[in-house]
Amino acid sequence: MSTTPSREDFDRYMVPNYAPQQVIPVRGAGSRLWDQEGREYIDFAGGIAVNALGHCHPVLVGALKEQADRLWHLSNVYTNEPALKLAKSLVERTFADKVYLCSSGGEANEAALKLARRYAHDTFGEHKDKIISFRQSFHGRTFFTVSVGGQPKYSQGFGPVPGGILHAEFNNLDQARELMGDDTCAVMVEPMQGEGGIVPATQEFLEGLRELCDEHEALLIFDEVQTGAGRTGKLYAYMHYGVIPDILTSAKSLGGGFPVAAMLTTDKVAKVFTLGTHGSTYGGNALASAVALAAVEHIDTPEVLEGVAKRHELIREHLETINRQHGVFQEIRGMGLLMGAQMTPDYEGRAKDILPLAIEEGMMALIAGPNVLRLAPSLVIPEEDISEGMARLERAIAKLVVKG
Ligand SMILES: *Cc1c(COP(=O)(O)O)cnc(C)c1O
């Protein structure tokens, strides 16, 4: 006999590495979700910047169903049509010549870091192994990627950390310059830090990193797992800056909710990943690739991308209005539909308290660190969902203010 699962089942059966909200959503359409009791929510969390086209978008459902009836998986002993189409499409739309497909952001970054190490090793020799990244950055949860990430709490307590990794302050070019040398293999950076608090890189910083990498024959890696696939209003955030990386990683929005990721690079770099050097059973899975192809083709259109910029402005206006009423934010920032509202010192550490209050009002949001409320809605969220969602957020924030 089966009973309806409950939130208590999480505590009973699942490893306690998450603390999910109390409600369990069971159905979604567009930017709305419904829980087990039929209560409705407007979704500004977007599965952590994943559901780029909302829930159950017909284009993605159609691609998934068509492929589901055709072919799911082959492994890399064979190639498959959706993977080939996806790789070609990404190459045609970006700086890249070659694509490596996998299933998650952490996996794409793991591949990027291994590729950079292998490239330096094979081209310049063993000494060139230093990887520079930035404090507060987030690059995934594999042991290499948490170590490169700039939040030590994620890599502590797991034994010896991989060596050759150096951290500088984000947006501080002088610090990066001091760490750079002939032994620098790669610099890994998010064009806008996501988990670290929605902090865009400055133009000078990314341009400067590009110059430093060229000077020291190091590779520049852009982690666009969160900023990529249309999230910032261009297909990739590097396109706003006009700074071209050697390697770029993409996941989250890329599959619109289906687990898929890609590492993009140039011919020059890709060639060191010779037969057998790296791989993944699921990488380039036919079902995942078919969905990602549909997502990319739908997102990379003027209609969707220009809509992202319009929605950004609309949400910013709403947040500013809320702030005029309640004075809880000290700064509203971000690019496209990855936005952050930094709490004032009076509400230090309180961003997370907004989330359950918003749930009570029928609105889902995120945080990015203790002091930033983060919004990452669907790139095609309807205007009426924005205004209704923001009205609900206003009520949640009013409750926060009353509580003090
Ligand atoms: C989410 C994220 C990752 C990790 O992606 P997973 O799919 O969770 O492995 C890596 N880098 C950035 C910038 C991210 O936002």
Side-chain angles (χ1 to χ4, degrees), residues 48-50 103-109 137-142 145 188-196 223-227 249 251-252 259-261 338 374:
I48 315 189
V50 166
S103 311
S104 71
E107 230 188 301
N109 284 334
S137 66
F138 183 78
H139 299 301
R141 297 290 200 142
T142 68
T145 57
M188 179 175 250
V189 65
E190 295 161 86
M192 172 162 68
Q193 286 194 336
E195 301 306 306
D223 177 348
E224 292 228 31
V225 168
Q226 190 155 167
T227 56
T249 55
K252 293 203 166 96
V260 62
L338 188 51
R374 169 172 41 162

Side-chain angles (χ1 to χ4, degrees), residues 109-126:
N109 284 334
E110 183 81 20
L113 293 165
K114 283 180 69 181
L115 176 63
R117 278 271 177 85
R118 194 60 178 248
Y119 176 78
H121 176 277
D122 292 4
T123 314
F124 303 102
E126 252 170 56

